Amino acid sequence: MTALQHPDAIRHFQSLCDAMQEMALRYSGPSELRLYADGYCHALRRTQQLDPLCQRRFEELVDRWIHDPSSFVGPDGDPSRLYETERR
């Protein structure tokens, strides 16, 4: 089972998702999003706010969420334009 049940883990996951959605709307690419998520997970691991099992579940869920194309919407709700290289 990989669902988050710890309230702190749920809050961290929501915070990370919100921040990454904002980054995607500002035309951050997949590699930048991954880098941000890795840094967030590393910082969370260093602070030891979650127990090791909860931390592992958190990181697995973040990884799945990043790889799921339905996790992000593009500008104006168009997922096909999510990673545009130019702003109009």
Side-chain angles (χ1 to χ4, degrees):
M1 180 174 178
T2 58
L4 298 177
Q5 296 177 355
H6 192 278
D8 287 338
I10 294 168
R11 280 191 284 276
H12 282 292
F13 184 74
Q14 186 62 51
S15 177
L16 178 61
C17 291
D18 291 346
M20 290 178 60
Q21 184 67 43
E22 282 296 316
M23 289 175 65
L25 291 175
R26 285 190 235 133
Y27 302 97
S28 295
S31 61
E32 293 166 310
L33 297 175
R34 182 80 230 167
L35 187 62
Y36 183 84
D38 287 347
Y40 192 100
C41 289
H42 177 73
L44 191 58
R45 203 176 313 118
R46 295 282 295 183
T47 61
Q48 298 178 350
Q49 290 186 358
L50 303 176
D51 63 74
L53 178 60
C54 194
Q55 178 74 33
R56 184 176 51 104
R57 287 181 178 164
F58 178 85
E59 291 179 13
E60 289 171 356
L61 189 58
V62 167
D63 192 51
R64 281 195 328 231
W65 184 76
I66 288 174
H67 287 98
D68 183 359
S70 67
S71 296
F72 302 99
V73 293
D76 303 323
D78 184 4
S80 66
R81 297 184 333 164
L82 179 59
Y83 300 120
E84 276 188 355
T85 57
E86 286 185 37
R87 297 180 190 185
R88 295 176 189 219

